[in-house]
Structures are given as C-alpha cells and as structure tokens.
Amino acid sequence: MSATWAKAPDFADQPARRAEVRAQTVVDRQRYLEDGLTPLRCQACQSQVRVRKSSTHQTSVQWTGNPAERCPVFAELSASGHGPGRPDSCPNLERTIAWAVDEGVLEIPD
C-alpha cells in the first residue's frame, strides 16, 4: 500500500462531518471567489474585470478572460516572455480602480 498525502482529512468514516465540510467549502468558494466583486471596465482598453477592495491596501482582481488577450499591457509583457502575474497588474487598470474608489463605484469596507 502506498502512502498518500492530503492537506486535510477526508472524513470518509464520518459522513455527517464530510457533508459539513463540503457545504462549508461551497460557502467559502462563494465568499472568496464571488461575493463583493464589482464588474469594472478598464478606462484605457475596455477590458472587463471583477474587482473587490478588502482594504485600502488590498485589491482582488479577477479577469473575465486571458489578460494577454484583452489588455495591451499584458499582451506586450506576454510577447516579451513574461509569465502570468508579472507584473501583478496593469498601471492603466490600477488607475481605473483608483478612479472607481474615488467615485464610489468600489467601496472599501470599514
């Protein structure tokens, strides 16, 4: 028998607990990947993203497609060999997000 590794127990012998964990996973997925995200278009290239501000210093951005196919800044970086996530954002998109905060389109929780 080969050893296996898991980040967390699977609770195979505890069906009720397993169901609770699965239900909480659905809630967590919704909370972190969906809730509070506001659709926003970059003012420079019109790329559509979804944005959440969790604090003045923390911003979550979800692209609705491949950034290199939608944003000229990411397209240029991709063409020059930079991988995904380098840089973390586009300066034009950052300005759009700052504008959205200033205009009240995006809210920062207290």
Side-chain angles (χ1 to χ4, degrees):
M1 176 158 110
S2 65
T4 60
W5 178 87
K7 288 174 59 175
D10 67 5
F11 299 108
D13 59 338
Q14 300 174 41
R17 179 69 179 128
R18 187 177 200 168
E20 290 172 9
V21 169
R22 286 186 176 167
Q24 187 60 49
T25 299
V26 169
V27 170
D28 289 344
R29 182 180 304 269
Q30 178 71 33
R31 179 177 177 207
Y32 292 110
L33 298 179
E34 300 291 333
D35 291 351
L37 289 166
T38 300
L40 190 64
R41 285 200 182 275
C42 177
Q43 293 173 328
C45 70
Q46 301 303 305
S47 293
Q48 177 80 35
V49 296
R50 296 169 21 136
V51 182
R52 175 178 50 232
K53 290 291 292 177
S54 298
S55 72
T56 55
H57 299 290
Q58 197 280 330
T59 305
S60 298
V61 175
Q62 288 187 354
W63 286 81
T64 58
N66 181 347
E69 293 174 3
R70 299 176 183 263
C71 171
V73 172
F74 280 104
E76 184 177 324
L77 289 166
S78 180
S80 64
H82 291 270
R86 302 289 186 258
D88 292 330
S89 187
C90 163
N92 296 322
L93 182 58
E94 288 177 7
R95 282 190 289 279
T96 299
I97 292 169
W99 168 86
V101 169
D102 291 344
E103 293 296 317
V105 175
L106 287 174
E107 294 184 12
I108 301 173
D110 296 328

